[in-house]
Each structure stands twice: as C-alpha cells, then as structure tokens.
C-alpha cells in the first residue's frame, strides 16, 4: 500500500507548486528588492539605492492624498456596508412578526435576497462603466431621476466635481457590496435558534434590544470576517476608480487611491523601483489593518 | 342559561388584552408604521439595485438621439443594430471570445491543479506538508499590488523560453491563463483541502487494498466524492476570473487580446468621445446578460459558493 506513495505525491504537488512559486512567491519576494533600486525596467540594470524610494514616497503629496482616500474608505465602507447589511438581513429574517410571537422573515424575503445579490456577480468593470454613465451630467440616470422628481437643485456634475467624486465612488462600492453581506448575515441568522428570540420577546425585549443583545453578539464571527473582507476592498479601489474616473483618479485627483498611484508610477512613468516601494507600503498597510481588526474585534466565541 | 351567557362573554375577553399587550410591549401591531417603514426600506434598496441595471438594458435599445433628448423614457423602437455595432465595430465580440478562451483555460487548470495539491496536502503525510500548505494559504493575505511590477517582468521574461516562449509571455492567452491559475490557487487549495479532509477514509482504504493505484483513487473515487465542493469553488473561481480587471490591464495591453472587462472599460472611454452611447450600452448589456442569466438559474449555488469562503 505504501508502494508508490512518494512518486504520486511528487507528481501531484510539483506542477501546482512550481506554478505558484514562479508567478506568486517569486514576484512577492522580488518586490522587496526592486523597491530598493532605481530602475526604469526596459533600459539599464537596476541600481541599488537603499531607502531612497521610501524617502521619495514619504515626501510625495500624491501618495499621501491617495492614502487618505483609502483610509476614508477603510472607515466608511465597512461601517455603512455592514450596517446596511445587518439591517436588511434582520428585516428579511426576523422582521416579519404578524401579530403573534412567531419569528419569521418578511414576505418575499427570498426575492429580495436574489435582487440584492445581483451586483455581486457583475464584474467591477461593468459596475464602473454603468455608474460612470449613470452619473453623467446630461444623459445620466442620477440627474434624470432628480429632475423627474423635481429636485433639480441637487443635480450636479457628480464625477466632474472634486468635492463629490470620492463620495460617488464610496456610494458605488456600498451599492455593489451590500447584497453579499445581506446574504452572508442571513445565513448566519438562520443558524440562530428561534427560541432565543422568542424567549427574549416573552420577557418584553424590544426589537432594538434583540438586535443588539442577540443578533449582533451571535453573529460576531461573521461580522469580523465581513470587516476584513471590506477592509481589503477599501485598501484596493483601483479598478472602480480607474474605470469611473480615469487614470488621474478624478478631477484634481480628488478620488485617487494608492493602487492607482502605483499603477501610474509603474506603467505610465516607468519607475519600477518607486512603484515597488508603494507596493511594499501597501503590503504593510494591509498587514497592519488585518492584525488590528483581528485584535480589536476579538471576543469570546459563543457556541449555540 | 346565565352560565352560558357569562361564559360566552367571558371567553373572548382574556385574549384581547393579551394581544394588545404583546403588540405594545414589542412595538408591533397589525398596522405598525415602523413595519411599513422597514418594508419601504427593503423595497427601496431592491429598486436601487435593479433599476440601474434595467436602465442600462433599456438604454441599449435607444438611438443616440433618444439617449440625449429623453434619457429615461422608454425607447420608441427596439434598435437591434446597436448590438450589431457593439459586437463588431466596438469589438465586444472579440473581447468576449478572448474572455471565454482565457477563463475556460484557467478554470480547468485551476480546478485540476488546485484539487491535486489540496488532495495530497489533505490526505497524505510527508515531510514538509505543512510548509507547502501554509505557503499556499499565506498567499491569500498578500495584496496583488505588491507583486504587480515583478510579475510583469516574470511574464515578460517567459518570452525568452525556447519554443514555448511566445505562448506564455505578455499579450498571450497562455500567460494570462497561468497567472490567473496561480493567483486562484491559494483559496482553492484552502477550500478544497478542508473538503477532502472531511471525506470518509474507509472508501479510500478499501480501494487501495483492492489494488487501486493512487492516481486512479484520485480521479475515479475522490474527485466524484468531492463534487459539491468542486462545484462551489468552481463557481467562485469562474466569477473571480471572469471579472478580473487588474491582471489583464497590466499583462494584456495589446488591443486585440483584451478580455471583456478590460475591453468594456476601454470602450467606455473611446465611445464616450465618439458619442456612440447606444453601442456602449449595448456592449454593457452584452457583458451583463450572460452572467445575470447564469446567476438567476444557479442563484442558490452561487450565493452558497460565494459566501462559503467567508463562513468557513
């Protein structure tokens, strides 16, 4: 039975490991070295310049502006998305109580879940292009609806306006992500035993209290995962900003993100050393956020 | 007589206060404004998610003039030629085909290599097993941006490999297929190895005792048993790879080789200048419709597949 085990293991493991090593592990390691060099890529060899790229980065105002936008996203996106997700999920799963003590979802909750999830299956390119034109001042959907309901005063250039472009991006990210978390939290809420709610209601707990004292604590693990997922999306933002607002990151770079600064530095300015330094900075940023959110949200696990 | 009448009047009485009591204490009644408000929010979000998609589809049937003059009225007639223009002149057909080729190849390769690695790591003990496993799983935590610049040159340098070079370098289907596969492996290995570990061992042992080779055991016994897991992760990888944007933008700059997501984004810029909005919206609809149809058919599996990763 042991016969032939090692050749088998080798045959099965070697192709995926080789592929992974070439395309994933080796670039990750190379990035750290390239970030210490001055390199325009196509012409000469990379010359070692120590930490100069990082010094350039610390003094670069575009980088800091972009980083600030990522930080704003990092705070606002999880808060709004998880808030809305929890609200809609609790409506759908424990919202409908028809006079009696029965805990049920509202009518049509499965239809809502299907609809809410729709943006999740669309590519970020489709979402970006769709909203780029929905925010279009003259022919777009948003201004069209505002004019139709008589709110002409609220119409504006949206993506052309430096003071609102970033918030449009945030709104689109929320729009695209809420559905996933409604479904995710719904699955979690289905697993919470009904009698816990019923007992609380018999004791006179309000809907608000059952939400904060039962639903949120029992879903804490899932909320924590949601937070990390959304944090990763918030630290990226490259695709949606580039598609909606172009390579410059919006009017006056008002919605620029770090990923886009990296892309411009590497593939438009051909400064690969500096671009790698930005990549390394993003890596440590992601790592810090992951560790912090793990720490901050650590609680005792509740078994039920 | 008197007892009956008092009973008749007394019996309905007790439930009544109880009913009003519960309605008051839990803040819920039959005509509760709060509930109506909540229902309103649910409906509002439903409209917010679907309306922009319907608007885009509706706009794709309009003439360019209608788009400019009446942005959100129904089209006066169905202009199917918008779709023809999008498909041929705007190259959406070409981009669609490129996406099918790349995702078709990378999905097969991801499932095969991912299942192989996950199976061996989950069910065979050998020195270094944990190291390899954590090397794969660790890949989930790194941002792709960190690897972007070196990855570009790794793929570029593959062009100098004898014979195979041109098929796996920048602007080649093969290169992008290999990169997609490599970056899908961490989560695939993580998910499938948990799945293989949960399968019963008795059948595998019986098969080996009967003289079945390790290879046959994998392909004819374990793979069929792991089908639910393979379907979930397959759907997950399909959507992830079909929707990928960053990697093709960097590795497939050639206009003829663009994948759908990339081509659509480029189109949004060029058609915007040219003023052919109708073709752009038709292209958007062409890109959107297949995914939406697949989703509406398999919505249960897709929702389960996409959320499974977060719940594990």
């Amino acid at each position: 039975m042991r016969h032939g085990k090692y050749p088998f293991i080798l045959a099965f493991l070697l192709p995926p490991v080789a592929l992974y090593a070439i395309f994933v592990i080796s670039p990750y390691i190379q990035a750290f070295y390239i970030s210490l060099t001055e390199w325009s890529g196509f012409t000469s060899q990379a010359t070692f310049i120590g930490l100069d790229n990082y010094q350039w980065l610390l003094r670069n105002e575009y980088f800091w502006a972009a980083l600030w936008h990522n930080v704003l996203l990092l705070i606002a996106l999880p808060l709004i998305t998880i808030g809305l997700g929890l609200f809609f999920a609790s409506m759908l799963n424990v919202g409908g109580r028809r006079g009696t003590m029965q805990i049920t979802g509202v009518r049509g909750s499965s239809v809502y879940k299907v609809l809410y999830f729709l943006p999740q299956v669309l590519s970020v390119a489709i979402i970006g292009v769709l909203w780029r034109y929905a925010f279009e001042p003259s022919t777009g959907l948003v201004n069209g609806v505002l004019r139709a309901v008589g709110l002409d005063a609220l119409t504006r250039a949206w993506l052309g306006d430096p003071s609102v472009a970033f918030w449009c991006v945030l709104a689109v990210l929320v729009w695209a992500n809420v559905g996933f978390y409604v479904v995710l939290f719904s699955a979690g809420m289905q697993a919470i035993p009904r009698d816990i709610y019923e007992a609380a209601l018999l004791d006179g707990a309000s809907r608000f209290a059952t939400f904060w004292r039962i639903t949120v604590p029992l879903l804490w693990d899932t909320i924590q995962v949601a937070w990390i997922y959304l944090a990763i999306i918030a630290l990226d933002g490259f695709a949606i900003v580039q598609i909606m607002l172009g390579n410059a990151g919006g009017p006056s770079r008002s919605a620029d993100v770090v990923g886009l600064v990296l892309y411009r530095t590497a593939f438009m300015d051909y400064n690969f050393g500096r671009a790698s330094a930005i990549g390394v900075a993003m890596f440590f940023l992601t790592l810090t956020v992951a560790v912090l959110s793990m720490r901050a949200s650590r609680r005792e696990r509740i078994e039920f | 007589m008197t007892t009956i009448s008092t009973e008749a009047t007394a019996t309905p009485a007790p439930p009544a206060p109880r009913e009003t009591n519960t309605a008051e204490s839990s803040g819920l009644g039959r005509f509760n404004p709060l509930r109506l408000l909540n229902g309103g929010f649910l409906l509002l979000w439903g409209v917010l998610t679907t309306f922009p998609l319907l608007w885009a589809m509706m706009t794709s049937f309009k003439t360019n003039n209608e788009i400019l003059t009446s942005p959100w009225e129904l089209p006066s007639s169905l202009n199917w030629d918008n779709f023809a223009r999008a498909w041929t002149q705007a190259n959406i057909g070409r981009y669609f085909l490129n996406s099918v080729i790349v995702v078709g190849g990378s999905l097969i390769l991801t499932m095969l290599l991912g299942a192989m690695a996950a199976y061996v790591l989950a069910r065979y003990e050998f020195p270094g097993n944990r190291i390899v496993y954590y090397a794969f799983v660790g890949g989930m935590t790194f941002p792709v941006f960190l690897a972007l610049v070196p990855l570009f040159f790794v793929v570029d340098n593959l062009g100098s490999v004898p014979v195979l070079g041109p098929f796996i370098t920048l602007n080649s289907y093969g290169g992008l297929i290999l990169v997609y596969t490599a970056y899908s492996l961490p989560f695939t290995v993580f998910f499938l190895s948990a799945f293989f570990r949960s399968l019963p061992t008795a059948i595998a042992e019986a098969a080996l005792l009967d003289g079945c080779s390790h290879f046959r055991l994998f392909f004819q016994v374990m793979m069929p048993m792991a089908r639910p897991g393979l379907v979930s992760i397959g759907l997950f990888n399909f959507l992830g790879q079909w929707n990928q944007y960053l990697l093709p933008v960097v590795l497939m700059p050639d206009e003829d080789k663009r994948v759908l997501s990339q081509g659509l984004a480029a189109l949004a810029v060029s058609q915007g200048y040219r003023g052919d909005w109708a073709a752009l919206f038709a292209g958007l609809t062409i890109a959107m419709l297949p995914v939406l149809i697949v989703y509406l058919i398999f919505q249960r599996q897709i929702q389960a597949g996409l959320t499974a990763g977060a719940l594990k």
Side-chain angles (χ1 to χ4, degrees):
Chain A
M1 219 172 94
R2 295 260 155 260
H3 176 72
K5 181 180 142 185
Y6 281 101
F8 169 75
I9 291 175
L10 219 58
F12 261 40
L13 216 48
L14 212 56
V17 167
L19 194 72
Y20 188 65
I22 294 171
F23 290 104
V24 182
I25 295 179
S26 99
Y28 278 136
I29 296 170
Q30 285 180 55
F32 288 93
Y33 175 72
I34 296 175
S35 78
L36 302 174
T37 65
E38 184 173 7
W39 189 29
S40 67
F42 300 110
T43 52
S44 57
Q45 281 287 322
T47 41
F48 187 83
I49 52 165
L51 294 171
D52 283 11
N53 288 329
Y54 292 95
Q55 273 179 359
W56 166 82
L57 196 59
L58 289 178
R59 276 186 266 112
N60 187 303
E61 54 176 320
Y62 293 142
F63 171 74
W64 287 108
L67 185 63
W68 170 240
H69 295 136
N70 279 115
V71 170
L72 274 183
L73 283 179
L74 193 62
I75 298 164
L77 181 67
L79 266 180
I80 301 172
T81 310
I82 292 176
L84 285 174
L86 278 173
F87 174 71
F88 290 132
S90 60
M91 286 283 82
L92 291 175
N93 290 285
V94 291
R97 302 174 200 149
R98 303 199 181 90
T100 60
M101 278 304 193
Q102 247 187 332
I103 312 288
T104 53
V106 295
R107 228 174 297 168
S109 64
S110 56
V111 176
Y112 280 126
K113 268 185 245 176
V114 172
L115 293 184
Y116 288 7
F117 203 76
L118 275 176
Q120 192 63 39
V121 297
L122 299 176
S123 72
V124 67
I126 292 176
I127 292 170
V129 173
L130 175 69
W131 283 101
R132 183 188 166 114
Y133 285 95
F135 279 123
E136 230 281 329
S138 57
T139 61
L141 176 74
V142 178
N143 277 351
V145 170
L146 287 175
R147 280 189 208 105
V149 296
L151 289 170
D152 291 59
L154 288 179
T155 59
R156 61 195 67 218
W158 300 113
L159 300 182
D161 184 340
S163 60
V164 284
F166 172 79
W167 304 106
C168 293
V169 171
L170 175 65
V172 171
L173 282 174
V174 170
W175 179 84
N177 282 296
V178 164
F180 179 82
Y181 294 97
V182 172
V183 171
L184 186 69
F185 294 145
S186 288
M189 285 179 194
Q190 299 281 324
I192 299 175
R194 302 284 96 165
D195 42 350
I196 298 184
Y197 284 106
E198 283 159 13
L201 287 176
L202 276 175
D203 289 345
S206 69
R207 182 196 288 247
F208 193 69
T210 55
F211 177 78
W212 282 110
R213 300 291 173 100
I214 298 175
T215 309
V216 171
L218 290 182
L219 276 184
W220 196 252
D221 277 359
T222 315
I223 294 175
Q224 189 181 334
V225 172
W227 198 280
I228 294 171
Y229 272 37
L230 286 162
I232 291 169
I233 294 172
L235 288 175
D236 180 344
F238 165 79
I240 199 80
V241 172
Q242 201 228 21
I243 294 166
M244 278 175 68
L245 298 158
N247 278 327
S252 323
R253 297 187 198 274
S254 54
D256 207 3
V257 286
V258 177
L260 199 52
V261 178
L262 188 153
Y263 177 79
R264 283 198 306 264
T265 312
F267 301 106
M268 292 168 79
D269 303 341
Y270 302 108
N271 203 319
F272 296 106
R274 285 175 179 179
S276 294
I278 301 174
V280 173
M282 279 179 91
F283 164 68
F284 281 111
L285 198 66
T286 313
L287 203 66
T288 313
V289 168
V291 171
L292 281 182
S293 56
M294 294 278 227
R295 284 244 164 138
S297 60
R298 189 183 294 158
R299 279 193 187 183
E300 264 176 72
R301 199 193 169 98
I302 302 158
E303 301 285 347
F304 54 87
Chain B
M1 278 292 268
T2 43
T3 47
I4 291 165
S5 69
T6 46
E7 253 180 44
T9 49
T11 35
R18 219 202 301 162
E19 193 130 298
T20 48
N21 249 349
T22 51
E24 267 170 21
S25 63
S26 60
L28 294 161
R30 221 165 266 274
F31 300 104
N32 190 310
L34 190 73
R35 240 183 75 192
L36 255 173
L37 193 69
N38 287 333
F41 278 129
L42 285 174
L43 198 65
L44 182 73
W45 194 262
V47 171
L48 267 176
T49 41
T50 42
F51 194 61
L53 305 180
L54 293 174
W55 170 74
M57 288 183 204
M58 185 191 80
T59 308
S60 67
F61 286 104
K62 290 178 168 180
T63 63
N64 276 312
N65 197 30
E66 279 179 312
I67 295 175
L68 283 171
T69 51
S70 49
W72 69 304
E73 277 156 33
L74 286 172
S76 55
S77 62
L78 300 180
N79 293 283
W80 292 100
D81 58 309
N82 292 342
F83 289 88
R85 274 207 318 285
W87 189 262
T88 53
Q89 281 174 31
N91 280 330
I92 287 291
R94 167 103 233 183
Y95 301 151
F96 201 96
L97 187 71
N98 288 342
S99 270
V100 169
I101 292 170
V102 171
V103 174
S106 63
L107 194 60
I108 292 169
L109 202 60
T110 305
M111 298 309 287
L112 184 69
L113 294 183
M116 279 160 50
Y119 173 68
V120 168
L121 291 171
R123 307 203 56 130
Y124 289 82
E125 270 178 44
F126 58 91
N129 178 316
R130 290 293 86 185
I131 297 174
V132 177
Y133 176 77
Y134 284 114
F136 272 120
V137 172
M140 290 193 295
T141 58
F142 287 74
V144 184
F145 285 99
L146 176 60
L148 210 55
V149 169
L151 179 66
F152 175 83
F153 288 102
V154 164
V155 178
D156 192 26
N157 288 336
L158 284 178
S160 56
V161 171
V163 190
L164 274 178
F167 301 103
I168 52 174
T169 185
L170 295 174
N171 288 317
S172 70
Y173 296 129
L176 202 58
I177 287 173
L178 293 178
V179 171
Y180 275 13
T181 305
Y183 281 86
S184 303
L185 280 178
F187 189 66
T188 309
V189 168
F190 170 71
F191 185 90
L192 283 180
S193 64
F195 204 87
F196 279 123
R197 226 173 280 141
S198 72
L199 294 178
T201 52
I203 296 170
E205 280 164 10
L208 284 175
L209 275 179
D210 286 348
C212 177
S213 74
H214 289 285
F215 290 93
R216 261 191 74 191
L217 175 67
F218 174 73
F219 285 108
Q220 296 194 332
V221 180
M222 299 312 278
M223 284 290 259
M225 279 169 75
R227 227 172 83 187
L230 290 173
V231 170
S232 291
I233 194 72
L235 284 167
F236 181 87
N237 280 327
F238 168 74
L239 281 173
Q241 294 178 352
W242 183 265
N243 294 343
Q244 179 57 245
Y245 180 73
L246 176 64
L247 292 173
V249 160
V250 172
L251 301 174
M252 285 281 223
D254 192 353
E255 204 168 319
D256 281 347
K257 290 289 177 58
R258 278 176 184 156
V259 297
L260 190 57
S261 58
Q262 196 189 354
L264 201 64
L267 196 66
V269 178
S270 64
Q271 295 304 90
Y273 289 134
R274 214 176 298 161
D276 193 353
W277 311 78
L280 172 71
F281 278 99
L284 198 60
T285 305
I286 293 172
M288 213 154 52
L289 227 44
V291 191
L292 289 184
I293 290 169
V294 170
Y295 166 64
L296 290 177
I297 297 170
F298 296 107
Q299 43 103 355
R300 207 166 276 280
Q301 291 93 319
I302 288 176
Q303 287 193 353
L306 289 189
T307 49
L311 287 174
K312 279 264 162 190

